[in-house]
Amino acid sequence: MAKKVAVVTGANKGIGLAIVQGLCKAGYAGDIILTARNEKLGQETLQKLKSEGFNNVLFHRFDICDQTSAEELRKFLEKNYGGLDVLINNAGIAFKVDATEPFGEQAEVTMRTNFWGTLWASKALLPLLRPNARVVNISSFVSKRALDKCSPELQAKFRSADISEEELCGLMGEFVVAAQNGNHEAKGWPNTAYGATKVTPNTAYGITKVGVTVLSRIQARVLAQTRAADGILLNACCPGWVRTDMAGPKAPKSPEEGAETPVYLAMLPPGATAPHGQLVWDKTVQEW
Ligand code: NDP
């Protein structure tokens, strides 16, 4: 039988690193590929893990915004494992709250990584999924808050049970263009987040994560239609508010605690039928 393999993106630090450690501690029976866009940072983290006794971890470079790098990872997995059993799309970015870049630029840059990068990683790697594979897309509770602030028309589109990937990509593009033109609010997109009184980076971040949550719903639906007998489960999740370089030191959860829900979803046992296509937070399915 082929050796099992799990891939975690953006795993040189923060929640991604804690997910790698969490999978090891949960007894993941296979290799865990710690990926990072920066070779040096990835290798350093790998060496630290090895010195702590995490021996079934390997490193492979992967920049989710670089389709060549996605192709290289796909070939590596195909050659060495013949498939993929767990994919955790964790890599993501957020501008700091006091960022001075224009809002349109924040929207475009954040969208490129969080939505398009996750989509490209999925397009390269989902075809490798073996029966009983688990996919976890790290979204955020901020996606739900951003959704609730969209116009009723946009909310209906994002909640639609049959929205296509093409429509979703179109909507993400429309948001970026509207943010660049400064008319996003008039077009039904939120202008504020977290009760802020002016536009902040969280506004753009929230919409990119709407994209990740809705993409997960679409991917799960397609898997259910095309690979119904294979028992694959794919979900979006929120790790909670976690102390990392992204969220800062005031967040209540440790990275280890933030990794709990992603690891739980990745380790759902063979034969489990749910959750699938959900947004999960604290191991609990959330209403979208
Ligand atoms: P960190 O900033 O600590 O880590 C983000 C990781 O993503 C880093 O390893 C970073 O690499 C990597 N990354 C960024 N861009 C790319 C790319 N193009 N290709 C590959 N890797 C990339 O953030 P967190 O650990 O807090 O966040 C992890 C995930 O959790 C993100 O998706 C985030 O949106 C989500 N999240 C976080 C919350 C929190 O409270 N912390 C709350 C809700 C969701 P590098 O070191 O090279 O920059």
Side-chain angles (χ1 to χ4, degrees), residues 78-98:
E78 233 170 13
K79 179 166 174 246
N80 292 282
Y81 299 93
L84 177 61
D85 301 286
V86 170
L87 171 61
I88 303 194
N89 280 313
N90 163 78
I93 63 160
F95 279 78
K96 296 291 175 208
V97 179
D98 57 0

Side-chain angles (χ1 to χ4, degrees), residues 10 12 15 37 62-64 90-91 138-139 205 209 240 242 244 247:
N12 54 292
I15 296 166
R37 59 179 163 178
F62 184 25
D63 180 341
I64 65 165
N90 163 78
I138 308 295
S139 184
Y205 175 82
K209 293 294 189 179
V242 182
T244 62

Side-chain angles (χ1 to χ4, degrees), residues 9-16 35-38 41 62-66 89-94 113-114 138-142 205 209 237-248 251:
T9 69
N12 54 292
K13 66 177 184 178
I15 296 166
T35 72
R37 59 179 163 178
N38 182 307
L41 293 179
F62 184 25
D63 180 341
I64 65 165
C65 293
D66 173 356
N89 280 313
N90 163 78
I93 63 160
T113 300
N114 294 1
I138 308 295
S139 184
S140 172
F141 57 90
V142 175
Y205 175 82
K209 293 294 189 179
C237 80
C238 176
W241 189 20
V242 182
R243 288 187 297 279
T244 62
D245 286 351
M246 180 183 288

Side-chain angles (χ1 to χ4, degrees), residues 62 66-76 78 124-125:
F62 184 25
D66 173 356
Q67 292 184 49
T68 307
S69 129
E71 184 57 15
E72 284 166 3
L73 177 59
R74 187 187 65 72
K75 283 187 184 152
F76 167 82
E78 233 170 13
L125 303 182

Side-chain angles (χ1 to χ4, degrees), residues 122-253:
S122 303
K123 280 197 180 298
L125 303 182
L126 292 192
L128 296 181
L129 294 181
R130 273 194 277 252
N132 288 311
R134 306 287 178 249
V135 181
V136 186
N137 293 331
I138 308 295
S139 184
S140 172
F141 57 90
V142 175
S143 70
K144 179 71 169 69
R145 292 191 184 171
L147 175 73
D148 291 342
K149 287 195 161 204
C150 288
S151 67
E153 293 75 20
L154 282 171
Q155 288 190 34
K157 287 180 185 173
F158 288 130
R159 291 197 170 103
S160 154
D162 54 13
I163 182 173
S164 67
E165 188 182 290
E166 198 179 352
E167 283 171 279
L168 176 63
C169 291
L171 288 165
M172 292 296 105
E174 281 173 27
F175 167 69
V176 171
V177 171
Q180 288 167 339
N181 290 337
N183 61 357
H184 53 282
E185 199 170 11
K187 299 249 178 196
W189 300 97
N191 191 42
T192 57
Y194 290 144
T197 51
K198 62 182 177 65
V199 68
T200 68
N202 278 329
T203 315
Y205 175 82
I207 297 300
T208 69
K209 293 294 189 179
V210 168
V212 174
T213 302
V214 178
L215 178 65
S216 309
R217 287 160 59 91
I218 296 168
Q219 291 171 333
R221 194 181 71 220
V222 171
L223 283 169
Q225 288 162 353
T226 57
R227 300 192 57 182
D230 283 345
I232 297 171
L233 297 176
L234 181 153
N235 291 284
C237 80
C238 176
W241 189 20
V242 182
R243 288 187 297 279
T244 62
D245 286 351
M246 180 183 288
K250 290 189 188 147
K253 281 192 180 185

